[in-house]
Amino acid sequence: MNAIIPIRREEALGCTNTQVLSEKGQREVFCGLTGIIWLHRKIQDAFFLVVGSRTCAHLIQSAAGVMIFAEPRFGTAIIDERDLAGIADANEELDRVVSELLVRRQDIKLLFLVGSCPSEVIKLDLSRAADRLSRQHLPRTKVLSYSGSGIETTFTQGEDACLASLVPTLPSRTVEGKHLLIVGTLADVVEDQLGALLRKMGIERFDFFPPRKSTDLPAIGPETVCLLAQPFLADTAKQLEARGVKRLSASFPLGAEGTTQWLKVAAKAFGIDDRRFDDVTQAPRQRAIQSVARHQAQLKGKSISFLPDSQLEIPLARFVYQELQMNLLEVGTPYLHRQIMAPELEQLPSSTRLSEGQSLELQLDRCDADQPDLIVCGLGLANPLEARGFTTKWSIELVFTPIQGYEQAGDLAGLFSRPLLRKLKLVA
Amino acid sequence: MQLTLWTYEGPPHVGAMRVATAMTDVHYVLHAPQGDTYADLLFTMIERLPRRPPVTYTTFQARDLGGDTAQLFKDAVSSAFERFQPKAVLVGSSCTAELIQDDPGGLAQALNLPVPVIPLELPAYQRKENWGAAETFYQLVRRLVKTPDPVPSPSARKPRCNILGPTALGFRHRDDVREISQLLQALGVDVAVVAPLNASVQDLQNLAQADFNVVLYPEVANTTAQWLERQFSQPYTRVMPIGVTATREFIKEVATLAGVDIPPDLEKNSRSVWFSRSVDSTYLTGKRVFLFGDASHVVAAARFATEEMGFDVAGIGTYSREFAREVRDAAKKYHVEPLITDDYLLVEEQIKSLHPELILGTQMERHIAKRLGIPCAVISAPVHIQDYPARYAPQMGFEGANVLFDTWVYPLMMGLEEHLLGMFREDFEFHDGAAPSHLGSARSQPTESKVPLKMEIDQIVVSNPSVVPITATSWSTDAEKELGKIPFFVRGKARRNTERFAMEHGLSTITVETLYDAKAHFSR
């Protein structure tokens, strides 16, 4: 049972009970469709077909089109006026487009129909379409659907929606024994490292989700527990819980501290004793602390503000506060899931200004007043803020870089120190 | 619905943003869902602008749809006006907002702002980016321009013109404007207003005071130039000054409109003509190029390719439906079938069947070129960050021709290497299909298509009836081997020709003989 929580412990619980500034107004964020940009590399035999407008197609290619693709792994079924006027049956049209695509690309094993604002507003039922198309194209291609629309999802929530749509298709586990599912897209190298640490501790039965191939979906069962590796996976966690998987609450594996806490939760769940845990983690932990220390010298005492983007802001703020000793001004997040974020919030200083949602102009006014040494923000704002004399760290890179685990702690710190170092280096 | 892997143009509201962002004191309030602010990145990242585009988005979410999105829009307009104090306000919808039908125009009028409010009707499910830019520019000018006061003696001053068409996020617009302004200055013509790039509301008001208009980019400025001609009898230029001959024609056109003489030393920095005549360029003769892009760049590039580089046009096409006629005319001139489409897959099929030795296209054609292993240079938007260079890189005027020469020759294998490769085929380093050595090892080998040949043919037949289908001929082992001796960049063409020859002559097997018969047949 839960321990009785004593009243008046704000200080000890960090930011847990802090009033969150909740704002409505212009939000300078990506929609969930953007998740496709990394998901298409993670699950290599999947194809992402957005059902939307030209705007959706333009968004994805503006973001990913700088890479030259011999075989694109995403596309858009652009809704046109005939679909809107009801002249063409939207479902028949979609079936035609999917058949066209699958003829062209016979190697696609998993096809995601990705909903967008237009398809949600006109209430095109993609989940039924996915069922129908699956029946047509199985066993070669499985078809699923999720929404990456801007009206429902913000940036990384696209991954959440995608993974949540995969959960019901995970096979049931027939092997006996406790099983760990690590949830959230991680760089391949990070997966390998975390996996090696778990094995050394004696945890053998674990899987990463999403897998690198759609044909390697992990099996889950009543003995499966899951550990989120990314903070933006609320719906996926809910779906997993609905299938009887228990979620372990932990900080996120960012920095030496975060990684230790995260691994510790796994170790506890599998009854690994503290000695063994320390034996396994001590050396990499020391390495991480040392490599972070190099950057700490430069960042200690510097002030930082996070603008909302990916929901990684709170764990990152904890890392820069705890391990780089930076001074937190504002930590903005597009969406705050209190339960998932609880272990992180406890560790933030209670003076932190937490904000959820955004009213862009007001938030920029606060930046002007705060004059942070470093602003973590999206690419729409980074260059304009730099031109005004601020130093910025563009936040999307934090989603596209291996930052989790011990061996990446120094790299993660480097992402924050590099813009400041650059400013010092450039003389012109 | 249309399956789109890559789209050539964005939605029309991005065109409107290109006009608003180009200008100095206009603000655009866009009714759009959360996420559509991605368009800011086009300007701050791809074009590297040091400021935010002057655009306020309502960024509504699902929960707002139950409530009053119209009020949300009105609030956004008033607070944007208060904060940015623009001299004119544009209001409009993105594709999703178009579905919820809040009438931004009417709502904004009701606010009674003390500056002009220009509502934009941009049908997102029918029209695209360039149309959006043209329409926005036209609406702005129509609404803002003022009838000039009668001037007593216009001969007392130099002739003056406006430059119309350059926008934010235009392909080389920044440097084209500089090159053409210098050219006009050398001709003794003053540039009154450049618009929309760096123009203010005041500038647009003064547009009618110039003697004539220079239209640099018809896709954006034609509607406006035509209207100005009707309203204020301002003539406008028709020639796009890309390439040396076109630039000379443009100069003549301007000189006539302005009534000035052409000074003798205009071409002193022109080098492309000599470079092209020098013997090093002889091997460029008859290289088969495929051109695709916006209509005006494609037509201008085709002319430069044939008349100034000595290439042959293997195919030509555009995604600008509004200007399809110009491209059809050009296609007639080069005896090829025009390809008017915004379907990337059709372009890919066309290129595959034509086997050009060089593709001149957009960022999208670079994907196709990579897949097929064909050299490629970019001549038109859409483009990515590397085509907004720091250095001076116009396409227009004499310097533009210099830039074009360098850019187009670069991806081709150089002469000596090409000769040696034709002679010695088994070298371990300079082998068949290896990237041209001056490009380092950077370019990958042609990706073998995973699609079976049969299906390719079916698709071609469906999509383009003009291409002769090839079926039921097989290659003998010897002939296949002999085919391998043909340099790779013309091999595809040789294969097609031979198969076509065999089909036409009812041959079921292709032998070495057939190969050479076909070669003789087609080299007539």
Side-chain angles (χ1 to χ4, degrees):
Chain A
M1 282 309 290
N2 290 339
I4 296 163
I5 300 168
I7 310 169
R8 311 231 34 96
R9 271 196 51 196
E10 284 90 345
E11 206 48 48
L13 286 172
C15 256
T16 306
N17 296 321
T18 309
Q19 187 77 35
V20 176
L21 184 62
S22 187
E23 283 184 322
K24 282 187 74 176
Q26 178 173 329
R27 293 167 69 111
E28 184 89 11
V29 288
F30 282 125
C31 63
L33 295 181
T34 333
I36 294 170
I37 290 164
W38 64 92
L39 287 167
H40 86 266
R41 285 292 172 88
K42 183 72 197 179
I43 318 176
Q44 293 180 10
D45 53 357
F47 189 97
F48 295 82
L49 182 67
V50 178
V51 182
S53 64
R54 193 165 298 281
T55 311
C56 311
H58 195 233
L59 157 79
I60 301 182
Q61 84 176 34
S62 305
V66 72
M67 296 179 283
I68 311 291
F69 289 82
E71 283 296 352
R73 295 179 223 168
F74 43 78
T76 310
I78 294 185
I79 297 170
D80 57 34
E81 36 182 355
R82 294 173 61 247
D83 302 306
L84 292 179
I87 297 167
D89 181 87
N91 285 308
E92 279 171 23
E93 285 287 291
L94 186 59
D95 292 6
R96 178 181 59 75
V97 165
V98 167
S99 306
E100 234 174 81
L101 174 70
L102 292 181
V103 165
R104 188 187 141 86
R105 296 289 308 281
Q106 315 221 346
D107 52 327
I108 299 171
K109 298 274 187 337
L110 175 60
L111 175 69
F112 285 105
L113 302 177
V114 189
S116 66
C117 303
S119 75
E120 296 295 327
V121 169
I122 64 171
K123 307 238 180 285
L124 191 57
D125 192 341
L126 290 184
S127 69
R128 276 179 57 186
D131 284 348
R132 186 177 65 236
L133 287 162
S134 261
R135 278 199 301 276
Q136 262 177 47
H137 295 285
L138 273 173
R140 208 184 75 199
T141 308
K142 180 159 67 179
V143 186
L144 294 175
S145 77
Y146 71 88
S147 171
S149 75
I151 54 178
E152 292 157 303
T153 58
T154 306
F155 194 31
T156 47
Q157 280 179 308
E159 176 174 333
D160 189 22
C162 174
L163 298 189
S165 79
L166 266 173
V167 171
T169 72
L170 297 184
S172 290
R173 203 173 160 76
T174 48
V175 191
E176 295 264 308
K178 200 157 201 177
H179 168 242
L180 176 66
L181 189 69
I182 298 158
V183 188
T185 296
L186 292 170
D188 295 347
V189 60
V190 175
E191 279 187 3
D192 296 344
Q193 290 166 7
L194 292 175
L197 286 171
L198 291 174
R199 259 184 229 109
K200 266 192 203 163
M201 278 180 226
I203 302 173
E204 292 288 345
R205 286 183 300 269
F206 60 88
D207 285 299
F208 289 96
F209 179 62
R212 297 179 196 185
K213 278 213 167 104
S214 70
T215 43
D216 297 339
L217 288 175
I220 53 172
E223 290 184 277
T224 302
V225 291
C226 76
L227 196 50
L228 301 185
Q230 300 280 11
F232 42 75
L233 297 170
D235 280 353
T236 309
K238 213 164 106 189
Q239 287 286 332
L240 284 166
E241 280 165 30
R243 285 199 54 184
V245 173
K246 187 174 169 282
R247 182 177 72 84
L248 304 174
S249 178
S251 299
F252 292 92
L254 299 171
E257 228 359 81
T259 307
T260 306
Q261 293 177 19
W262 187 84
L263 285 169
K264 187 103 191 173
V265 169
K268 258 202 179 135
F270 281 77
I272 310 295
D273 66 48
D274 287 355
R275 262 280 304 270
R276 181 129 192 224
F277 180 82
D278 289 341
D279 280 352
V280 172
T281 55
Q282 201 174 22
R285 190 176 177 182
Q286 277 311 314
R287 266 204 304 275
I289 291 170
Q290 269 169 21
S291 52
V292 169
R294 275 201 294 279
H295 301 278
Q296 200 206 69
Q298 198 185 353
L299 291 172
K300 186 174 178 178
K302 292 268 194 307
S303 60
I304 186 168
S305 281
F306 290 82
L307 267 51
D309 189 54
S310 62
Q311 299 183 48
L312 277 164
E313 295 82 8
I314 290 173
L316 287 170
R318 187 258 306 149
F319 166 72
V320 300
Y321 165 72
Q322 229 169 30
E323 300 186 32
L324 295 168
Q325 299 181 13
M326 293 182 81
N327 176 17
L328 301 179
L329 295 170
E330 174 162 341
V331 179
T333 176
Y335 179 70
L336 177 59
H337 194 290
R338 287 212 170 256
Q339 261 176 319
I340 289 179
M341 221 50 97
E344 296 283 356
L345 289 173
E346 280 175 20
Q347 302 177 68
L348 289 185
S350 57
S351 60
T352 313
R353 188 195 311 138
L354 281 182
S355 67
E356 183 186 14
Q358 190 175 31
S359 177
L360 178 64
E361 305 296 346
L362 297 181
Q363 195 162 36
L364 290 178
D365 286 349
R366 289 201 295 277
C367 276
D368 272 336
D370 288 343
Q371 290 290 313
D373 295 315
L374 190 63
I375 303 177
V376 182
C377 63
L379 288 172
L381 300 169
N383 273 335
L385 286 171
E386 289 279 346
R388 292 182 45 208
F390 287 104
T391 306
T392 61
K393 163 79 224 110
W394 51 283
S395 49
I396 299 134
E397 199 175 13
L398 296 157
V399 181
F400 291 155
T401 313
I403 54 171
Q404 291 84 0
Y406 289 126
E407 313 307 340
Q408 281 67 237
D411 302 343
L412 175 57
L415 287 179
F416 292 96
S417 65
R418 194 175 304 137
L420 289 162
L421 180 66
R422 184 167 183 78
K423 198 143 266 192
L424 289 175
K425 279 184 104 141
L426 300 181
V427 291
Chain B
M1 259 178 225
Q2 189 198 351
L3 172 62
T4 313
L5 294 185
W6 301 107
T7 166
Y8 285 97
E9 292 182 73
H13 73 258
V14 170
M17 282 186 71
R18 285 173 51 190
V19 172
T21 308
M23 291 185 61
T24 56
D25 52 5
V26 168
H27 201 85
Y28 183 21
V29 183
L30 182 62
H31 205 15
Q34 163 178 262
D36 278 5
T37 51
Y38 83 87
D40 283 356
L41 270 72
L42 306 171
F43 301 94
T44 60
M45 292 305 294
I46 296 182
E47 203 182 4
R48 288 188 227 243
L49 285 192
R51 59 196 153 84
R52 286 169 56 206
V55 183
T56 295
Y57 305 79
T58 52
T59 56
F60 56 82
Q61 293 174 270
R63 59 169 185 232
D64 298 315
L65 290 178
D68 194 353
T69 48
Q71 188 59 43
L72 193 69
F73 181 78
K74 278 185 5 189
D75 293 346
V77 177
S78 358
S79 59
F81 177 74
E82 227 165 274
R83 181 171 284 264
F84 299 104
Q85 299 285 319
K87 296 282 181 348
V89 178
L90 294 165
V91 294
S93 295
S94 78
C95 52
T96 305
E98 193 181 324
L99 297 173
I100 59 175
Q101 301 186 331
D102 273 334
D103 183 25
L107 292 169
Q109 299 292 351
L111 291 171
N112 279 322
L113 297 183
V115 295
V117 173
I118 297 135
L120 298 175
E121 295 287 342
L122 307 174
Y125 296 91
Q126 299 163 25
R127 303 293 192 163
K128 287 172 285 188
E129 180 178 332
N130 281 334
W131 188 88
E135 173 71 8
T136 305
F137 187 41
Y138 168 64
Q139 293 296 347
L140 267 167
V141 169
R142 224 193 131 142
R143 179 68 189 273
L144 295 172
V145 75
K146 287 186 175 150
T147 313
D149 303 324
V151 183
S153 61
S155 56
R157 56 162 176 82
K158 279 210 238 173
R160 66 179 171 219
C161 68
N162 303 312
I163 293 181
L164 302 183
T167 60
L169 214 66
F171 177 58
R172 307 293 166 85
H173 287 195
R174 177 197 70 192
D175 297 340
D176 283 348
V177 167
R178 184 172 138 198
E179 185 68 18
I180 295 306
S181 301
Q182 283 167 355
L183 190 61
L184 291 166
Q185 208 171 7
L187 277 167
V189 177
D190 278 342
V191 176
V193 173
V194 179
L197 192 62
N198 298 323
S200 62
V201 167
Q202 170 96 56
D203 288 334
L204 292 195
Q205 287 172 343
N206 295 338
L207 274 179
Q209 290 176 12
D211 303 317
F212 64 98
N213 290 314
V214 167
V215 171
L216 285 195
Y217 307 104
E219 271 83 356
V220 178
N222 252 15
T223 338
T224 305
Q226 282 162 2
W227 184 79
L228 287 170
E229 186 175 45
R230 285 199 301 275
Q231 294 295 311
F232 305 106
S233 322
Q234 281 177 324
Y236 65 95
T237 59
R238 305 298 206 279
V239 179
M240 200 179 189
I242 289 184
V244 171
T245 37
T247 303
R248 285 177 190 151
E249 269 174 34
F250 172 81
I251 290 169
K252 271 194 205 126
E253 200 182 13
V254 169
T256 313
L257 289 177
V260 294
D261 295 329
I262 302 171
D265 60 343
L266 285 179
E267 296 189 26
K268 60 180 186 296
N269 291 323
S270 171
R271 281 177 289 273
S272 69
V273 172
W274 164 242
F275 272 45
S276 223
R277 283 181 187 276
S278 74
V279 294
D280 193 60
S281 301
T282 312
Y283 84 111
L284 300 175
T285 316
K287 285 239 181 263
R288 303 170 64 257
V289 294
F290 179 85
L291 300 110
F292 199 85
D294 72 34
S296 4
H297 278 93
V298 157
V299 172
R303 187 173 179 190
F304 185 76
T306 51
E307 296 177 9
E308 299 182 40
M309 299 292 282
F311 294 154
D312 285 348
V313 172
I316 187 169
T318 184
Y319 58 78
S320 325
R321 285 189 187 279
E322 294 87 353
F323 292 80
R325 204 173 54 189
E326 283 80 345
V327 175
R328 287 209 178 90
D329 291 348
K332 240 177 250 157
K333 201 167 125 195
Y334 304 118
H335 312 291
V336 292
E337 280 292 313
L339 178 65
I340 314 296
T341 184
D342 58 357
D343 186 343
Y344 166 83
L345 296 173
L346 282 184
V347 179
E348 184 179 281
E349 286 311 326
Q350 180 87 320
I351 293 177
K352 214 190 271 175
S353 70
L354 290 172
H355 291 284
E357 292 163 72
L358 175 67
I359 301 172
L360 298 172
T362 71
Q363 173 76 8
M364 305 310 136
E365 277 64 52
R366 297 177 69 194
H367 299 283
I368 299 171
K370 178 180 181 187
R371 184 166 191 228
L372 304 176
I374 301 173
C376 178
V378 169
I379 57 163
S380 158
V383 293
H384 240 291
I385 188 163
Q386 63 273 52
D387 278 300
Y388 293 95
R391 66 173 190 281
Y392 186 50
Q395 302 285 289
M396 292 184 171
F398 297 114
E399 185 58 29
N402 296 342
V403 170
L404 289 184
F405 182 89
D406 289 348
T407 314
W408 294 10
V409 169
Y410 182 74
L412 296 171
M413 183 172 286
M414 297 207 282
L416 174 64
E417 190 164 330
E418 191 179 300
H419 281 301
L420 288 174
L421 201 71
M423 289 179 69
F424 311 109
R425 324 208 45 82
E426 283 160 23
D427 191 278
F428 63 89
E429 182 182 357
F430 299 95
H431 57 84
D432 196 22
S437 63
H438 74 286
L439 299 179
S441 56
R443 230 182 54 213
S444 62
Q445 295 193 12
T447 323
E448 276 303 318
S449 172
K450 288 171 211 145
V451 192
L453 186 67
K454 178 70 179 64
M455 195 176 49
E456 273 177 42
I457 292 159
D458 289 347
Q459 282 183 357
I460 295 165
V461 174
V462 173
S463 60
N464 192 343
S466 70
V467 178
V468 181
I470 302 136
T471 47
T473 45
S474 63
W475 287 74
S476 71
T477 327
D478 285 352
E480 192 83 56
K481 219 167 158 186
E482 198 70 13
L483 182 69
K485 294 178 188 165
I486 295 167
F488 72 95
F489 40 83
V490 285
R491 192 181 306 149
K493 168 91 172 158
R495 177 187 280 276
R496 290 274 161 178
N497 277 349
T498 310
E499 286 172 354
R500 209 168 103 193
F501 180 82
M503 278 286 296
E504 283 167 5
H505 290 77
L507 304 171
S508 60
T509 313
I510 293 169
T511 61
V512 178
E513 292 292 304
T514 324
L515 183 67
Y516 286 114
D517 284 346
K519 185 179 176 192
H521 176 78
F522 286 106
S523 64
R524 279 172 300 171

